[in-house]
């Protein structure tokens, strides 16, 4: 390993896990061999392990895409949808239940006292694009946004700002941009944006959501390329779009809230400097960069990816996996912790 590697001691968990309960995941994470885990999510266990799939039931069945079991025959002609048609999203209930466990584990000394509780959230755009038929997306999105903002406010009312980190996950946003660039083929219009210009619309929506986050609460962004069946919706050709969006997001939201970190995925096969070269144009101010270059059972590859990233990246970066671990096995999660500890030692 070269002596000029640019990794910081911090290790970031993205969100989901294969563990059976928040207590099991938080306890495992807190006691992992790496001592530099300063935020711990609840693992998005059980029905939440597959990202937004559990939000399906919050939306009107007649507006759900047929591929997800929607029933357009129930649609009433000319119906105007209101907030009453959108069920509460439930992210607040899940976060507060897990925070109670987190607090107990902190009080008992399992979780270090300065560790923050990390809540990972999708955007309204992601949920609506993921489930709703295109012609109704524009009508449903502000209603779902209102529900999600209500959940964020309730979370912040009951979790001290000094203990809270909110991470916003952006897979649909990255996919929309790749479709707009012509790199992602989307014959079924699953990823395609229903507004234009795409990047401007995404940034406006992110900025609006961030305004709901209170001062003192940490804010992070996960620039996600998906992990369905351990595959991306399209392989990033390099970090160019990731750097572009990181720069744009920080610039757009900083007047409303400081960005604490930005996370970028690194495909397992990309241990070449070319993938990381666009990082030379990174401009995210004081926000910390996390690179998702740890892959389960691949310590040697992780070290190669660190070496390649260190040659191109102009700033120090923390370590992470490239996505959540909800589709991994417990054994694979444990290997991630072991690799993180090993490479941080040198």
């Amino acid at each position: 390993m070269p002596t000029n590697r640019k990794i910081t001691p911090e290790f970031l968990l993205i969100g989901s896990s294969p563990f059976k309960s928040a207590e099991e995941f938080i306890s495992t994470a807190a006691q992992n061999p790496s001592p530099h885990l300063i935020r711990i999510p609840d693992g998005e266990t059980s029905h939440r392990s597959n990202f937004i799939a559990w939000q399906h039931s919050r939306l009107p069945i007649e507006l759900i895409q047929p591929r997800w079991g929607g029933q357009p025959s129930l649609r009433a002609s000319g119906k105007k949808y209101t907030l009453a048609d959108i069920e509460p999203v439930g992210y607040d209930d899940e976060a507060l239940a897990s925070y109670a466990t987190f607090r107990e584990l902190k009080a008992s000394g399992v979780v270090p006292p300065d560790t923050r509780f990390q809540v990972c959230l999708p955007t309204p755009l992601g949920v609506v694009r993921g489930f709703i038929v295109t012609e109704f997306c524009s009508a449903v999105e502000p209603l779902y946004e209102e529900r999600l903002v209500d959940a964020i406010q309730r979370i912040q009312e009951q979790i001290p700002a000094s203990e809270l980190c909110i991470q916003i996950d952006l897979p649909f946003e990255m996919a929309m941009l790749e479709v707009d660039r012509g790199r992602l083929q989307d014959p079924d219009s699953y990823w395609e944006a229903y507004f234009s210009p795409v990047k401007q619309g995404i940034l406006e929506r992110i900025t609006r959501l961030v305004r709901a986050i209170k001062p003192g609460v940490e804010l992070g962004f996960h620039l996600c390329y998906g992990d369905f069946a351990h595959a991306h919706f399209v392989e990033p050709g390099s970090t160019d779009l990731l750097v572009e969006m990181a720069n744009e997001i920080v610039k757009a939201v900083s007047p409303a809230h400081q960005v604490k970190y930005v996370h970028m995925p690194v495909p397992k096969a990309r241990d070449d400097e070319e993938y990381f070269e666009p990082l030379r144009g990174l401009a995210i101010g004081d926000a910390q960069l996390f690179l998702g270059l740890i892959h389960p059972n691949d310590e040697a590859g992780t070290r190669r990816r660190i070496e390649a990233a260190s040659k191109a990246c102009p700033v120090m970066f923390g370590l992470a996996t490239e996505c959540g671990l909800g589709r991994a096995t417990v054994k694979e999660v444990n290997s991630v912790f072991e690799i993180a500890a090993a490479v941080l030692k040198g």
Side-chain angles (χ1 to χ4, degrees):
M1 177 64 62
T3 57
N4 65 339
R5 63 181 190 164
K6 294 181 178 178
I7 58 173
T8 67
E10 289 84 5
F11 174 50
L12 178 71
L13 287 168
I14 301 305
S16 62
S17 80
F19 288 81
K20 294 180 180 180
S21 68
E23 181 177 5
E24 183 182 8
F25 176 74
I26 294 170
S27 297
T28 300
Q31 299 175 83
N32 81 81
S34 172
H36 303 290
L37 196 61
I38 57 178
R39 307 168 191 90
I40 299 180
D42 72 352
E44 299 175 24
T45 57
S46 184
H47 59 285
R48 293 184 294 135
S49 65
N50 194 18
F51 191 42
I52 61 172
W54 68 293
Q55 289 296 289
H56 177 283
S57 61
R58 269 66 181 177
L59 302 167
I61 189 67
E62 70 272 21
L63 302 186
I64 297 289
Q65 299 169 24
R67 77 186 84 197
W68 306 123
Q71 299 180 30
S73 62
L74 300 178
R75 198 177 301 158
S77 178
K79 175 177 169 60
K80 180 176 175 60
Y81 287 87
T82 68
L83 191 61
D85 295 301
I86 310 298
E87 296 291 329
V89 296
Y91 282 102
D92 47 341
D93 294 333
E94 298 290 345
L96 295 175
S98 296
Y99 174 67
T101 300
F102 175 88
R103 187 174 54 190
E104 290 172 2
L105 291 170
K106 184 179 279 192
S108 66
V110 174
V111 173
D114 58 347
T115 307
R116 286 187 182 242
F117 181 65
Q118 179 180 324
V119 177
C120 304
L121 299 172
T123 61
L125 173 58
V127 173
V128 171
R129 174 69 283 183
F131 290 121
I132 298 296
V133 293
T134 300
E135 63 187 287
F136 289 95
C137 284
S138 294
V140 173
E141 186 186 351
L143 303 176
Y144 186 90
E145 180 175 322
E146 186 173 347
R147 287 295 195 193
L148 185 59
V149 167
D150 286 345
I152 292 172
Q153 291 174 342
R154 182 167 175 246
I155 289 168
Q156 294 177 123
E157 287 169 359
Q158 299 191 40
I159 301 179
S162 61
E163 278 195 287
L164 181 60
C165 172
I166 292 179
Q167 174 182 291
I168 299 177
D169 300 335
L170 301 171
F172 280 86
E173 287 77 1
M174 298 307 298
M176 287 175 180
L177 291 163
E178 291 286 19
V179 170
D180 195 48
R181 281 183 159 200
R183 292 194 66 251
L184 174 57
Q185 301 303 309
D186 188 28
D188 297 325
S189 298
Y190 181 61
W191 303 106
E192 186 177 6
Y194 46 89
F195 51 84
S196 181
V198 177
K199 184 169 72 171
Q200 180 179 330
I202 287 171
L203 292 171
E204 288 173 354
R205 286 164 167 82
I206 292 172
T207 303
R208 194 165 61 235
L209 186 63
V210 164
R211 292 194 187 105
I213 300 175
K214 295 181 178 180
V217 175
E218 282 192 349
L219 171 63
F221 288 94
H222 167 38
L223 306 184
C224 180
Y225 271 69
D227 185 44
F228 183 73
H230 295 301
H232 298 133
F233 46 74
V234 67
E235 290 296 328
S238 72
T239 52
D240 61 343
L241 181 58
L242 293 161
V243 169
E244 178 184 334
M245 285 309 294
N247 293 350
E248 294 275 12
I249 288 169
V250 170
K251 180 180 178 181
V253 309
S254 289
H257 202 292
Q258 178 189 12
V259 178
K260 189 66 176 180
Y261 66 86
V262 176
H263 170 273
M264 300 180 184
V266 179
K268 188 174 183 178
R270 300 306 299 265
D271 56 9
D272 56 292
E273 190 175 348
E274 181 182 358
Y275 179 79
F276 301 98
E277 185 66 24
L279 289 172
R280 297 185 187 279
L282 191 69
I284 57 174
D286 293 332
Q288 184 174 6
L289 174 66
F290 283 94
L291 293 178
L293 38 67
I294 298 181
H295 290 260
N297 304 313
D298 188 24
E299 181 180 335
T302 296
R303 292 183 181 276
R304 290 195 302 272
R305 290 183 286 274
I306 290 173
E307 180 176 356
S310 295
K311 291 177 181 177
C313 191
V315 298
M316 301 290 286
F317 56 88
L319 302 179
T321 56
E322 68 170 352
C323 198
L325 295 167
R327 278 70 62 193
T329 65
V330 171
K331 185 176 181 181
E332 287 174 325
V333 174
N334 288 332
S335 81
V336 165
F337 289 141
E338 292 165 3
I339 291 169
V343 299
L344 285 171
K345 286 180 181 177

